[in-house]
């Protein structure tokens, strides 16, 4: 496979739309808020970036995320999707996801545009169905609006995914149980649950350091996560990745591309492309992205060619995010290392401590490992 990202044979692409009405207090994503005047310039530069492909690429999965893609006006959304249709055509069977904010979809013109361009999966940034949590998270929708949007999109969409956040300040397990209960009443095919982490650079971080916001204790947060795993499984969702739960045949195919190490294109500020051996990351700053594209592009800020050892370690960690884990023989065939040869004695220790489970043929996360997966990855990746 050619190492150049525009020459590669990827069948998946991610488009980053870096605009939001307001930056939520917990969010440190690549985005700008209150800069709607930049949207036209963004569309122009995205078109330039896609034109670097030289020829349209047929895709199996396309994911438009952000930011909030549905923050664009219906006319801008239409033009964004026209650009995407020209350069990234899909088959009717391809998965085409757009991330959406429930309050934006009250505008039926936006829904019409999304539908006309063949989007068949919406990932709704709901985060909670409890007014207290929505208020704390600075979300601009109500639980009622989520219900109304669901009713409007369910008849024509193949798949609906919902994001929920647990572990917010002052949250109780009962409050989280109510979130799961109310989500279970909605006609959704997929749920992603995320534990809140307070990141540097967010207003939550500042408030935490001023003692005006207290992070939830780890035990309550872990109980929320365990409850989600148990309850969503009882409700018929398959827990197939650390944060992801799906009804049968509704796994997110685009994310499966990431977890299985296949190549993908990324366009827009901060988007990454992966050729299988090289990763290219676009500039995270929207204004720098514009400048780079306006002087001929590409907008790449950082590139990394992975040596065989690094690539195998990354693949091990990313693959372990999936509940089925790794087939040991497949891993060795594909990456040229046994998992023990690659990680060394640390791996035996993690198995002995019960965070990973090794059988004759597989290696996978245990329930205890799920609870602390981020720190496991740091240990495995360290040289
Ligand atoms: S809407 Fe989503 S992407 Fe935008 S600021 Fe809020 S959390 Fe971040």
């Amino acid at each position: 496979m050619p190492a150049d990202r525009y020459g590669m044979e990827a069948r998946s692409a991610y488009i980053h739309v870096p605009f939001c009405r307001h930056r939520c207090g917990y969010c440190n994503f690549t985005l700008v808020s209150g800069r709607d005047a930049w949207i036209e310039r963004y569309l122009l530069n995205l078109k330039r970036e896609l034109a670097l492909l030289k020829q349209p690429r047929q895709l199996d999965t396309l994911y438009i995320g952000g930011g909030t893609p549905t923050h664009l006006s219906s006319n801008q959304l239409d033009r964004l999707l026209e650009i995407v249709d020209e350069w990234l055509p899909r088959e009717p069977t391809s998965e085409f996801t757009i991330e959406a904010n429930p309050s934006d979809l009250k505008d039926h013109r936006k829904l019409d545009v999304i539908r006309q361009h063949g989007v068949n999966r919406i990932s709704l940034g709901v985060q909670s169905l409890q007014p207290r949590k929505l208020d704390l998270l600075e979300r601009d929708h109500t639980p009622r609006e989520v219900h109304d949007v669901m009713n409007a999109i369910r008849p024509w969409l193949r798949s609906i995914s919902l994001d929920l956040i647990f572990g917010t300040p002052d949250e109780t397990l009962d409050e989280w149980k109510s979130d799961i209960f109310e989500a279970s009443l909605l006609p959704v095919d997929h749920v992603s649950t995320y534990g809140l982490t307070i990141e540097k650079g967010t207003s939550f971080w500042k408030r935490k350091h001023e003692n005006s916001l207290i992070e939830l204790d780890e035990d309550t947060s872990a109980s929320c996560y365990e409850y989600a795993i148990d309850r969503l499984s009882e409700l018929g969702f398959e827990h197939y990745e650390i944060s992801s739960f799906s009804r049968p045949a509704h796994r997110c195919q685009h994310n499966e591309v990431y977890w299985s190490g296949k190549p993908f294109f990324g366009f827009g500020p901060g988007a990454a492309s992966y050729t299988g051996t090289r990763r290219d990351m676009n500039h995270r700053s929207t204004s720098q992205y514009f400048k780079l594209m306006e002087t001929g592009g590409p907008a790449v800020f950082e590139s990394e060619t992975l040596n065989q050892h690094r690539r195998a370690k990354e693949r091990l960690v990313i693959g372990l995010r999936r509940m089925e884990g790794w087939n040991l023989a497949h891993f060795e065939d594909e990456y040229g290392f046994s998992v023990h040869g690659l990680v060394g004695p640390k791996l035996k220790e993690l198995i002995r401590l019960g965070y990973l489970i090794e059988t004759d043929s597989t290696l996978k996360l245990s329930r205890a490992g799920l609870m602390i997966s981020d720190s496991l990855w740091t240990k495995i990746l360290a040289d």
Side-chain angles (χ1 to χ4, degrees):
M1 180 181 301
D4 167 53
R5 69 174 178 152
Y6 297 114
M8 68 177 164
E9 304 288 330
R11 306 268 313 170
S12 292
Y14 172 77
I15 308 266
H16 190 75
V17 183
F19 299 99
C20 285
R21 185 186 60 78
H22 152 83
R23 183 179 282 274
C24 304
Y26 60 96
C27 179
N28 74 340
F29 291 170
T30 298
L31 63 92
V32 286
S33 58
R35 300 261 186 186
D36 294 0
W38 287 13
I39 295 175
E40 293 300 325
R41 198 170 163 198
Y42 163 78
L43 291 173
L44 212 63
N45 283 306
L46 183 72
K47 190 170 183 168
R48 289 191 176 113
E49 193 185 10
L50 282 160
L52 295 176
L53 286 169
K54 304 265 192 267
Q55 58 186 26
R57 304 302 173 97
Q58 190 77 27
L59 297 183
D60 296 329
T61 73
L62 173 59
Y63 194 107
I64 301 188
T68 311
T70 52
H71 178 63
L72 273 54
S73 70
S74 54
N75 179 283
Q76 290 163 336
L77 203 50
D78 192 30
R79 281 182 289 133
L80 169 75
L81 298 178
E82 271 172 12
I83 297 167
V84 164
D85 287 346
E86 180 185 349
W87 289 101
L88 303 171
R90 288 92 43 204
E91 303 287 348
T93 52
S94 306
E95 180 188 87
F96 185 7
T97 304
I98 192 164
E99 287 180 352
N101 186 356
S103 58
D104 293 332
L105 298 188
K106 286 186 291 182
D107 179 343
H108 280 253
R109 288 167 306 179
K110 293 189 189 181
L111 281 182
D112 289 345
V113 166
I114 289 171
R115 189 177 180 177
Q116 279 155 13
H117 286 274
V119 170
N120 51 32
R121 184 173 185 275
I122 286 185
S123 174
L124 267 186
V126 169
Q127 316 312 350
S128 176
L129 293 151
Q130 312 307 309
R132 185 202 75 85
K133 269 176 79 178
L134 288 172
D135 198 38
L136 174 84
L137 294 169
E138 301 172 16
R139 306 294 302 183
D140 62 358
H141 58 266
T142 63
R144 179 73 254 162
E145 283 168 349
V146 175
H147 283 266
D148 293 346
V149 163
M150 286 285 171
N151 290 336
I153 61 179
R154 181 69 279 180
W156 54 271
L157 270 181
R158 190 191 299 170
S159 218
I160 302 176
S161 181
L162 202 74
D163 283 357
L164 293 176
I165 290 184
F166 61 87
T168 56
D170 292 329
E171 184 163 357
T172 60
L173 181 56
D174 279 344
E175 196 174 18
W176 175 241
K177 285 182 179 179
S178 301
D179 259 341
I180 297 283
F181 173 71
E182 283 166 39
S184 75
L185 301 178
L186 296 168
V188 294
D189 310 293
H190 189 280
V191 179
S192 298
T193 62
Y194 301 101
L196 182 76
T197 49
I198 299 185
E199 309 274 358
K200 213 171 172 175
T202 61
S203 73
F204 272 25
W205 176 271
K206 191 162 167 271
R207 287 170 62 191
K208 178 179 150 182
H209 288 271
E210 291 166 352
N211 291 325
S212 66
L213 184 140
I214 315 277
E215 210 162 7
L216 192 68
D217 65 280
E218 279 180 20
D219 287 350
T220 309
S221 195
S223 303
C224 289
Y225 181 40
E226 288 213 80
Y227 179 79
I229 296 172
D230 294 336
R231 187 67 191 131
L232 288 170
S233 304
E234 282 166 16
L235 290 165
F237 288 87
E238 178 198 16
H239 182 206
Y240 71 104
E241 187 267 347
I242 293 174
S243 310
S244 312
F245 302 82
S246 92
R247 296 259 182 226
H250 285 279
R251 288 183 177 201
C252 176
Q253 292 166 33
H254 185 79
N255 284 344
E256 295 257 69
V257 166
Y258 297 151
W259 300 322
S260 58
K262 293 182 184 156
F264 54 85
F265 295 111
F267 303 96
S273 297
Y274 180 62
T275 67
T277 53
R278 195 178 102 189
R279 194 169 28 237
D280 291 318
M281 179 82 85
N282 276 355
H283 212 296
R284 275 175 65 98
S285 150
T286 301
S287 59
Q288 287 302 319
Y289 169 81
F290 289 166
K291 281 185 192 146
L292 287 166
M293 287 317 307
E294 284 160 6
T295 49
V300 174
F301 172 64
E302 215 174 67
S303 289
E304 187 183 10
T305 301
L306 305 173
N307 65 33
Q308 212 187 342
H309 190 262
R310 184 72 198 174
R311 177 170 172 250
K313 271 201 171 179
E314 286 196 5
R315 287 295 310 120
L316 177 62
V317 161
I318 295 167
L320 282 173
R321 293 189 64 89
R322 296 184 299 185
M323 291 306 101
E324 58 245 49
W326 272 106
N327 177 296
L328 296 170
H330 289 172
F331 183 85
E332 194 165 343
D333 281 354
E334 213 166 316
Y335 300 103
F337 296 93
S338 72
V339 292
H340 287 283
L342 185 66
V343 184
K346 272 181 294 183
L347 187 63
K348 272 212 159 54
E349 183 64 3
L350 296 175
I351 294 166
R352 191 188 67 76
L353 292 170
Y355 296 127
L356 293 167
I357 300 168
E358 186 180 22
T359 66
D360 287 346
S361 57
T362 60
L363 180 71
K364 60 184 182 181
L365 277 176
S366 66
R367 175 65 73 102
L370 271 172
M371 297 295 134
I372 56 149
S373 58
D374 284 345
S375 67
L376 291 185
W377 310 148
T378 311
K379 288 192 177 83
I380 293 174
L381 288 170
D383 286 321

